[in-house]
Amino acid sequence: EVNKYKFARYADDFVITSQTRENLEEIIPQLESWLAQRGLKLNKAKTQIRDIRKEGFSFLGFDIRQFKGKTLRYGSNRYKRFAHKMRINAKPNAKRIPSPNAKLKEEECYSCFIIPGKKETKEFLTNIREYLKNEGRVLSFDTVLNRLNSKIRGWLNYYRFVCSKKTFSKIRKEVLDAIYRYLKRKHPKKSWKWIKRKYYTKIDQDPHNPYADIKGKRKNREVLVNAAKDVPIIRFEKVKGKNSPFDPTLIEYWKKRQTKWGKTKFAKGSKYEQIYTRQKGICPICGKPICLDEAFEVHHIVPIRDGGNNSKANLMILHQHCHKAKNKHLHKRVD
């Protein structure tokens, strides 16, 4: 059957889904035969058949599982919306299309949740603790905090598009605890009040936010990344219907989508987000949107060597290839 299986792949990792366990047991020998012809084989340790409603499964660092939702009460607004959705999504050749007032089975009331993998979360926290215990011992606190922020921001950006609120809160709590223990090891003879006065501040109304002075300048502080403010959770917006980026009639749709999605590259309220908003998500050189998956560069309008600075007014965000072309032109002009 055409719709008997569903397939999702990323590089050499893939998932095959089906309605029954028997279907999956049937496809494994065929899959092994197909791979053997190409000199490949399945990893037995990673090849498993899982029930998404009982156990769930892990894929690319995410835990995916369905949970039973609330029972739909007959006649409720939620019930009618669900029935209407079922009618819209029903296939033309379906045996029976449920009417808006049809009584739906409880087994249809399941919600799929995607969360950061528990194993990956544990490994990340272990990595943070090991870094503070080993490398962090011989480094200054500003260097440690700067590197911690890079690690944390990268991890949060990867998992920010799924149901991550609880995990992000846990990460922040565990990292703050690890920093506290690190500072106590760094200053074993100092009291907690002394440590708090030296390393903690009430920035963003958070009295437990450690900071470090960069290059001795009190005005420029490196603050620990706050997931709730700096890396907000953003739901991935699906493409409407069968809209294709190659359809010339949908140029405006894709332009708006790319501009909106490209904004998620930057921390909320940051200098670079403000510059991106000022440019309306458009590269000033080529006039095309700066998308999320494209490389970009921050360009100084007035070069530093000519007296320029790093203020927002003197910066603009360009595509990487546009930035190279711009710099090449400037170098030629100087020569």
Side-chain angles (χ1 to χ4, degrees), residues 62 113-116 158-165 168 233-236:
F62 298 92
F113 285 88
I114 306 175
I115 62 174
Y158 182 72
Y159 290 105
R160 69 190 296 192
F161 304 106
V162 296
C163 305
S164 308
K165 184 176 180 179
F168 282 9
I233 296 172
I234 300 173
R235 293 286 178 262
F236 184 80

Side-chain angles (χ1 to χ4, degrees), residues 44 79 146 148 235-236 258 268 330-331:
K44 296 293 184 181
Y79 176 89
N146 188 280
L148 273 184
R235 293 286 178 262
F236 184 80
Q258 290 169 346
K268 189 176 181 181
L330 288 174
H331 288 316

Side-chain angles (χ1 to χ4, degrees), residues 4-5 21-31 49:
K4 193 174 181 179
Y5 302 100
R21 177 177 287 269
E22 290 72 20
N23 289 344
L24 295 175
E25 291 174 348
E26 178 186 333
I27 197 67
I28 289 178
Q30 301 177 33
L31 187 60
I49 298 178

Side-chain angles (χ1 to χ4, degrees), residues 91-92 238-250 253-254 257:
K91 297 176 183 178
K238 291 184 179 180
V239 176
K240 292 182 179 178
K242 296 182 179 180
N243 290 355
S244 169
F246 304 106
D247 188 344
T249 63
L250 298 174
Y253 167 78
W254 285 103
R257 177 183 172 84

Side-chain angles (χ1 to χ4, degrees), residues 203 211-223:
I203 292 178
Y211 70 87
D213 295 331
I214 306 298
K215 297 180 181 178
K217 297 180 181 179
R218 299 290 298 179
K219 294 182 181 179
N220 188 10
R221 290 170 174 172
E222 180 79 10
V223 182

Side-chain angles (χ1 to χ4, degrees), residues 88-220:
I88 292 176
N89 295 335
K91 297 176 183 178
N93 58 350
K95 294 182 180 179
R96 183 180 67 85
I97 299 177
S99 65
N101 296 322
K103 192 168 184 178
L104 302 175
K105 297 179 181 179
E106 287 187 16
E107 62 182 10
E108 294 173 331
C109 309
Y110 279 83
S111 299
C112 183
F113 285 88
I114 306 175
I115 62 174
K118 293 182 179 179
K119 178 183 175 183
E120 286 71 20
T121 303
K122 187 176 180 180
E123 289 177 353
F124 174 72
L125 290 173
T126 302
N127 178 271
I128 293 292
R129 295 186 188 107
E130 290 297 321
Y131 171 75
L132 290 174
K133 284 182 181 178
N134 300 322
E135 296 179 45
R137 289 189 305 171
V138 296
L139 299 174
S140 62
F141 185 60
D142 56 344
T143 304
V144 169
L145 196 57
N146 188 280
R147 293 184 183 178
L148 273 184
N149 277 341
S150 298
K151 292 173 181 286
I152 296 169
R153 189 177 286 111
W155 197 89
L156 296 179
N157 279 328
Y158 182 72
Y159 290 105
R160 69 190 296 192
F161 304 106
V162 296
C163 305
S164 308
K165 184 176 180 179
K166 289 185 178 180
T167 306
F168 282 9
S169 298
K170 178 184 176 182
I171 289 290
R172 179 163 176 79
K173 178 182 179 300
E174 294 292 337
V175 170
L176 285 172
D177 289 345
I179 290 176
Y180 167 75
R181 291 191 293 270
Y182 162 77
L183 292 174
K184 289 294 286 184
R185 288 194 299 269
K186 193 176 182 69
H187 305 285
K189 296 184 179 181
K190 298 294 183 180
S191 66
W192 165 241
K193 286 185 178 180
W194 184 91
I195 293 174
K196 189 175 181 180
R197 187 167 59 250
K198 180 175 176 62
Y199 292 106
Y200 287 76
T201 181
K202 290 186 178 180
I203 292 178
D204 301 328
Q205 305 300 319
D206 186 354
H208 303 293
N209 206 353
Y211 70 87
D213 295 331
I214 306 298
K215 297 180 181 178
K217 297 180 181 179
R218 299 290 298 179
K219 294 182 181 179
N220 188 10

Side-chain angles (χ1 to χ4, degrees), residues 2 7 9 23 59 125 164 186 190 206 267 272 283 299 306 313-314:
V2 178
F7 177 79
R9 180 184 72 88
N23 289 344
F59 186 57
L125 290 173
S164 308
K186 193 176 182 69
K190 298 294 183 180
D206 186 354
Y272 298 118
C283 175
H299 176 72
D306 296 337
N314 192 45

